[in-house]
Amino acid sequence: MEELHRGRQKDKYLYMLSQIADIVASALAEKDIYEGVLWELSSGLDLDAIWVQNYNSASKMLTLTAQRGLPEQLIKELQTASIDTGVIGKIARERKPVFSNDIARDRNCQWDSASTIGFKSLIASPVVSDGRFTGLLGGLSYKNDIFTLNDLKLIHIAAACISDVCDRTGAKANIQEASKEQDDIAHTQLFLSALGHELKTPLTAIIASTGILLEELEARNEKVLVKVAENIARSAESLKNRLSELLTLSTTRSESFNVNMREIDFSRIAREVVGQVSSLVRQKNQVMDVDVPAGIKIIGDDQRIEQILLNLLSNAIQFTPEGGQVCLKASTDENRLLVSVKDSGPGIFDEEKQKLFRPYYHLASDRSGLPTMGLGLAITKQLVELHGGAIWVNSEPGKGSTFTFSLPLNFAYSLPLDKK
């Protein structure tokens, strides 16, 4: 019976996450999105009151944005609240999700005004976006012993979704402002920012849902399906990280990335990336030839190397027609690693080869027929150069293209200094 109860509880959480993801990814107004999310949470978690507050970093104040079921006394208290006092301020300062099933006696979550009204239990999570505290999501119940750690996990995920809605709304407002300036680059960057925020919201739900799915598959000892779910989780998390970088680029116009250099197994990373794109190859009935010797070690950032390979292989698969061939080859000499990705696509004219690696550049005749932002190869070039390498392309119209990059096996500049 207990196992059946846990199964039903997980089904409930998955359904709620699906509903919340649909709401925040919709074209509804901000007010309607908040109301929809609060209704789902109050129903699913049996909350008697629930609210969202936005945070103003200049004034260090929380402002009530939306609520359901709050008594008038608490509405006045939460309308404008300092983060320097009270249990709400403490949650804001510590930036950790919490729950208490006895707010009258729990010293860590004691809330006298709420318990005087009759509330007994509290659950709350900070709203954080890219490391910045942007608000708070909280709920109250008149019942004792109602909340669990799984409930806390769910409300924390919902808080992450709400953070993306706030950022997305701000990005759209900035786009409207930029469109008046007739600044094409600025407008493109702001469009990318809005797009990034649009995509981050459903990604948050995907990552959370995959986590719950992984727990269930591991409990059932479904080893093959666990590997599939792990691949989904890793790819979704990687995409979310890339989106965060895109948002940084669009708001700061910076063209730099952080790298964490250490000795890594290039051969293993290459195998993992090939596994990630294998389903795309099968969908287009393509053949992928892989010639990567085992045991190639380099000094680099494993996530960045994965990003480079994924960008190049994804492009090659996308631009290669059905039934075509894609080749990944790697070799080493005494000092360098040489990697090539070859496709059997339409090829590129000479005058366009050097322009390919410029930000926002598009070919005169699109190789894929699909709309792109023109950032993939520009970012790939930056990442290769951060590793002390170089990238180039060889191509002829009608004969496919080969993108090649070289990296030093030992990039001394990025090695940590020896401690004396």
Side-chain angles (χ1 to χ4, degrees):
M1 285 297 292
E2 186 177 345
E3 186 175 340
L4 179 62
H5 174 70
R6 285 200 301 268
R8 287 176 177 172
Q9 189 180 49
K10 287 181 179 179
D11 289 343
K12 182 184 75 171
Y13 288 150
L14 286 171
Y15 176 77
M16 288 175 63
L17 282 172
S18 174
Q19 293 295 101
I20 290 171
D22 286 345
I23 292 168
V24 297
S26 70
L28 292 171
E30 180 182 347
K31 177 177 177 292
D32 296 328
I33 290 175
Y34 281 136
E35 289 183 357
V37 171
L38 295 187
W39 187 89
E40 288 291 339
L41 289 171
S42 63
S43 301
L45 296 180
D46 196 19
L47 297 170
D48 295 298
I50 185 169
W51 74 94
V52 178
Q53 292 167 292
N54 281 345
Y55 177 62
N56 185 313
S57 58
S59 64
K60 294 186 178 180
M61 299 293 287
L62 289 162
T63 302
L64 189 63
T65 305
Q67 63 88 19
R68 283 180 60 87
L70 281 177
E72 190 64 30
Q73 181 180 337
L74 291 186
I75 290 177
K76 290 179 180 179
E77 182 177 335
L78 298 174
Q79 192 67 56
T80 51
S82 171
I83 66 167
D84 294 327
T85 59
V87 63
I88 298 304
K90 181 181 178 183
I91 296 169
R93 293 193 305 274
E94 295 181 352
R95 300 189 185 185
K96 294 179 180 179
V98 299
F99 74 90
S100 172
N101 285 314
D102 191 350
I103 59 174
R105 299 180 180 179
D106 187 344
R107 291 184 178 180
N108 292 321
C109 294
Q110 193 167 355
W111 192 354
D112 292 338
S113 54
S115 59
T116 299
I117 295 171
F119 288 112
K120 293 182 171 60
S121 301
L122 164 72
I123 189 166
S125 173
V127 179
V128 179
S129 177
D130 293 328
R132 296 178 294 106
F133 174 66
T134 59
L136 186 138
L137 172 64
L140 289 163
S141 174
Y142 290 118
K143 300 175 184 177
N144 279 118
D145 301 322
I146 185 173
F147 300 128
T148 66
L149 287 173
N150 284 331
D151 295 330
L152 192 65
K153 184 187 297 185
L154 182 67
I155 204 164
H156 189 49
I157 294 166
C161 292
I162 289 174
S163 74
D164 293 335
V165 174
C166 294
D167 287 344
R168 182 180 71 189
T169 304
K172 285 181 177 178
N174 288 337
I175 281 188
Q176 294 172 356
E177 189 75 21
S179 64
K180 300 174 184 177
E181 300 175 359
Q182 301 299 315
D183 182 346
D184 290 341
I185 296 298
H187 188 269
T188 301
Q189 288 175 317
L190 289 169
F191 170 71
L192 291 174
S193 177
L195 178 64
H197 287 297
E198 291 280 0
L199 294 176
K200 275 181 69 182
T201 300
L203 264 177
T204 300
I206 290 172
I207 292 168
S209 301
T210 305
I212 296 173
L213 179 62
L214 268 170
E215 291 178 6
E216 184 66 23
L217 292 175
E218 288 171 351
R220 297 182 183 183
N221 200 29
E222 298 278 1
K223 295 183 179 180
V224 175
L225 293 179
V226 164
K227 289 183 178 180
V228 175
E230 287 176 341
N231 194 31
I232 294 171
R234 184 172 60 250
S235 298
E237 191 64 44
S238 176
L239 179 55
K240 189 173 183 181
N241 291 337
R242 300 295 81 81
L243 282 172
S244 294
E245 290 172 349
L246 178 63
L247 295 175
T248 300
L249 282 170
S250 67
T251 54
T252 66
R253 301 194 181 194
S254 167
E255 295 186 357
S256 63
F257 297 91
N258 294 321
V259 288
N260 179 25
M261 306 294 276
R262 57 190 177 86
E263 186 178 73
I264 58 174
D265 187 338
F266 174 85
S267 305
R268 175 188 60 78
I269 295 171
R271 289 194 302 271
E272 290 178 353
V273 173
V274 168
Q276 290 182 51
V277 300
S278 59
S279 61
L280 300 176
V281 174
R282 289 194 296 271
Q283 287 172 19
K284 297 185 71 173
N285 296 315
Q286 295 170 346
V287 175
M288 177 174 284
D289 290 334
V290 180
D291 182 9
V292 179
I296 298 177
K297 302 291 180 65
I298 65 171
I299 299 298
D301 184 313
D302 52 352
Q303 293 186 10
R304 301 306 186 182
I305 297 299
E306 177 181 339
Q307 188 177 355
I308 291 167
L309 290 173
L310 196 56
N311 281 349
L312 293 178
L313 282 174
S314 297
N315 281 350
I317 294 166
Q318 180 178 329
F319 301 147
T320 295
E322 293 252 356
Q325 187 176 36
V326 175
C327 302
L328 170 63
K329 183 177 181 180
S331 61
T332 62
D333 57 24
E334 290 184 359
N335 300 312
R336 301 190 74 80
L337 166 67
L338 195 68
V339 182
S340 64
V341 176
K342 182 179 181 181
D343 65 52
S344 53
I348 307 168
F349 290 101
D350 287 339
E351 59 268 24
E352 294 189 301
K353 290 178 185 176
Q354 295 304 316
K355 301 176 184 178
L356 276 177
F357 299 101
R358 296 179 184 174
Y360 311 113
Y361 179 75
H362 296 80
L363 290 166
S365 59
D366 190 90
R367 299 167 69 205
S368 67
L370 297 173
T372 64
M373 295 302 168
L375 278 175
L377 288 175
I379 290 175
T380 299
K381 180 175 184 290
Q382 291 175 35
L383 295 178
V384 168
E385 290 174 350
L386 280 173
H387 285 76
I391 185 169
W392 62 93
V393 59
N394 294 309
S395 182
E396 291 183 40
K399 295 186 178 180
S401 303
T402 301
F403 286 82
T404 305
F405 67 92
S406 66
L407 300 176
L409 294 177
N410 294 286
F411 191 25
Y413 172 79
S414 296
L415 288 173
L417 296 174
D418 291 332
K419 295 182 180 180
K420 300 291 185 181

